[in-house]
Amino acid sequence: MKPFIDTLEHALQCCITKSEIYLEQIKPEIREYISRPDGQYLQGKQEDYIPLRHIFAWTPSFFLGMGFWTYQVKKETKWLKWLHSFSNEYAAKVCHTPLETMHDLGFLYSPYAVALYKATNDSHMKKIALQAAVVLAMRFVPNGSYIQAWGRMDHIIPGYVDQELAKNHFFTQSKGLAIIDCMMNLPLLFWASEETNHPFYKNIAVAHADMTLKYFFREDGSIYHAFRFHEETGQPIGGDNYCGYAIESHWARGTAWAIYGFISAFSYTGYERYLNAAVDLSLQFIAKSEDDGIPVWDFKLPQHQPAAACGSKPWTDWDYTNPANKSRNRDTSAAAIAASAFYEILKFKKEPAIQCAMDHILMTLATKYTNYEPPIPGILKEQNGQGVYTIFGDYFYMEALCKKLYGFESIW
């Protein structure tokens, strides 16, 4: 057991060391730093990256979230000072420009404002997070009982969006659309109900979760990435896809989002249907992953098809027909998210296969996929089926390590 713990401790120290890079370099404002094959997230000029106030921003809080977990381990006040330096930006987004948001408010405010409130009882952070929950609740569409994923709710394209970006499906195909990722935004609503003692937020979260159970699950237990409803009547139209290989395929990271979202929903409500969904999806995830515990980007990806660009475009960065390059189709971010979700499931149900898989994934990530080179901010290799580093994968890896090694409570 000691070699296992020592290995995970070494991996966590790597995460802490790389968080120091963000502490030193991300200031005075946070931006949407994109995934990169070299892991150099911060390379280039600040103005090259969209700010938090942009409607497309959804990952900035994962950088700050790594700082939060570092604070939890080290208890050094410099981390709190750094994290609080961004509070005005976060408040402005949901107070001054609430329509400039999508469903990602949970991804933005749970690892930041909710986490800081839980850890420090900071009333300002509580106010910011509650306002974020209000804005997220405004995205609920009663006809269909779903939270709309993308676009402004008044369907106006922001003036700062150029003509080319305005053609993006985030705007042109946003009406009537729910996506599986939104399961991870529901904890913000559940938390808000607990804090306000008002059922309004919980009722919306439960409605969306139940809609997901009803429409996203196929007979074989796999799930859609997206589901579309008639924008006026709310009548179900059918499955859709924007992140997996195809409409009827089975996107691995989407499965991980669903696992974590459903176990979080169970932790707030005690509704057995959510625990059962989380466990069933977990066992599927485990069974369909590779021997080392890491899944292919899409469980139904054809054997000789590249994961890059959702398999829809020619890919020249490597020869994807070469079996030696098959590992590049893997998604370590999905594995990291799943491992952190498995930790939450095990609080409520002692499932040996899930316990074994969590430990196996963390050990594999620490020994096979972690970049320990200090100058490179990126941590997990081979993410998203594109051979890239992403901050969301790095964040959930660090979160899982912190919970496993220190027993910290979830911030979701």
Side-chain angles (χ1 to χ4, degrees):
M1 189 64 172
K2 189 174 185 301
F4 171 68
I5 295 299
D6 287 348
T7 299
L8 298 194
E9 286 278 12
H10 182 48
L12 179 56
Q13 184 54 53
C14 171
C15 296
I16 291 171
T17 298
K18 297 196 175 195
S19 295
E20 292 275 0
I21 298 174
Y22 306 140
L23 176 72
E24 294 300 320
Q25 296 188 28
I26 298 180
K27 57 182 78 168
E29 62 178 357
I30 186 71
R31 298 251 171 174
E32 177 90 353
Y33 301 105
I34 61 175
S35 60
R36 294 179 61 98
D38 59 4
Q40 295 287 0
Y41 300 132
L42 308 182
Q43 196 171 75
K45 300 177 181 178
Q46 278 280 91
E47 54 266 31
D48 293 337
Y49 303 100
I50 63 173
L52 177 66
R53 62 182 178 274
H54 196 289
I55 194 171
F56 273 20
W58 77 278
T59 64
S61 297
F62 296 129
F63 291 95
L64 303 186
M66 290 181 66
F68 169 79
W69 288 114
T70 301
Y71 167 73
Q72 288 289 77
V73 174
K74 308 286 284 185
K75 296 302 180 185
E76 296 171 340
T77 57
K78 66 179 183 180
W79 293 98
L80 288 182
K81 182 179 179 181
W82 178 63
L83 291 167
H84 279 93
S85 72
F86 302 102
S87 64
N88 288 341
E89 288 182 73
Y90 278 84
K93 186 173 181 71
V94 290
C95 293
H96 301 157
T97 57
L99 284 172
E100 301 298 296
T101 58
M102 297 202 202
H103 75 136
D104 302 300
L105 287 151
F107 285 125
L108 286 170
Y109 287 84
S110 290
Y112 179 67
V114 174
L116 284 170
Y117 171 66
K118 286 185 175 183
T120 67
N121 203 33
D122 186 309
S123 60
H124 182 53
M125 288 298 167
K126 177 181 177 179
K127 289 178 182 177
I128 293 173
L130 286 175
Q131 179 60 23
V134 169
V135 177
L136 178 57
M138 289 166 60
R139 301 191 66 84
F140 184 68
V141 181
N143 288 345
S145 295
Y146 63 94
I147 294 171
Q148 182 177 304
W150 300 327
R152 286 173 52 128
M153 293 308 289
D154 61 5
H155 308 301
I156 294 174
I157 297 175
Y160 54 75
V161 171
D162 61 39
Q163 290 184 348
E164 190 59 34
L165 187 58
K167 300 175 184 176
N168 191 284
H169 60 258
F170 283 97
F171 298 121
T172 61
Q173 300 177 40
S174 63
K175 295 179 181 179
L177 188 72
I179 65 175
I180 198 64
D181 318 42
C182 195
M183 287 301 303
M184 282 302 291
N185 294 311
L186 301 187
L188 178 63
L189 297 174
F190 285 122
W191 168 84
S193 265
E194 283 198 345
E195 289 299 317
T196 61
N197 200 30
H198 198 294
F200 169 71
Y201 307 98
K202 177 184 175 181
N203 289 344
I204 289 175
V206 166
H208 184 94
D210 286 347
M211 175 281 300
T212 303
L213 285 175
K214 183 176 182 179
Y215 292 117
F216 276 71
F217 282 70
R218 305 185 185 98
E219 288 187 6
D220 64 359
S222 64
I223 53 176
Y224 289 109
H225 167 244
F227 198 90
R228 192 168 290 283
F229 298 85
H230 189 281
E231 62 188 80
E232 294 178 0
T233 67
Q235 289 298 305
I237 294 174
D240 213 332
N241 172 67
Y242 295 90
C243 286
Y245 173 67
I247 289 177
E248 297 299 329
S249 66
H250 191 186
W251 181 41
R253 178 153 54 91
T255 305
W257 291 141
I259 294 168
Y260 210 148
F262 278 116
I263 193 56
S264 296
F266 173 75
S267 73
Y268 281 104
T269 65
Y271 297 163
E272 289 288 328
R273 60 186 181 272
Y274 299 152
L275 175 61
N276 293 337
V279 170
D280 290 347
L281 285 170
S282 297
L283 296 177
Q284 277 222 26
F285 187 98
I286 294 164
K288 293 179 178 180
S289 291
E290 302 297 301
D291 290 343
D292 63 0
I294 311 302
V296 170
W297 158 79
D298 190 303
F299 292 123
K300 295 183 179 180
L301 183 71
Q303 186 173 1
H304 299 299
Q305 188 70 31
C310 296
S312 63
K313 298 178 182 178
W315 187 248
T316 58
D317 286 26
W318 61 77
D319 179 6
Y320 58 82
T321 64
N322 183 347
N325 286 329
K326 185 179 179 182
S327 66
R328 292 181 178 271
N329 276 343
R330 297 198 183 179
D331 187 357
T332 56
S333 73
I337 296 161
S340 196
F342 292 168
Y343 182 89
E344 301 303 320
I345 291 173
L346 293 167
K347 292 178 181 178
F348 304 104
K349 186 169 185 177
K350 302 304 179 185
E351 183 72 45
I354 293 177
Q355 176 72 64
C356 183
M358 178 185 70
D359 292 345
H360 184 43
I361 288 171
L362 290 177
M363 192 65 170
T364 296
L365 294 178
T367 58
K368 194 173 175 183
Y369 291 100
T370 299
N371 186 329
Y372 289 95
E373 297 179 40
I376 299 174
I379 299 171
L380 279 185
K381 309 171 187 175
E382 307 296 351
Q383 295 190 49
N384 210 26
Q386 299 184 44
V388 296
Y389 296 81
T390 75
I391 190 58
F392 50 82
D394 293 352
Y395 167 83
F396 281 98
Y397 179 39
M398 186 177 190
E399 180 187 278
L401 290 169
C402 284
K403 292 192 296 186
K404 174 69 178 178
L405 293 169
Y406 290 89
F408 291 130
E409 290 299 312
S410 173
I411 55 86
W412 300 95

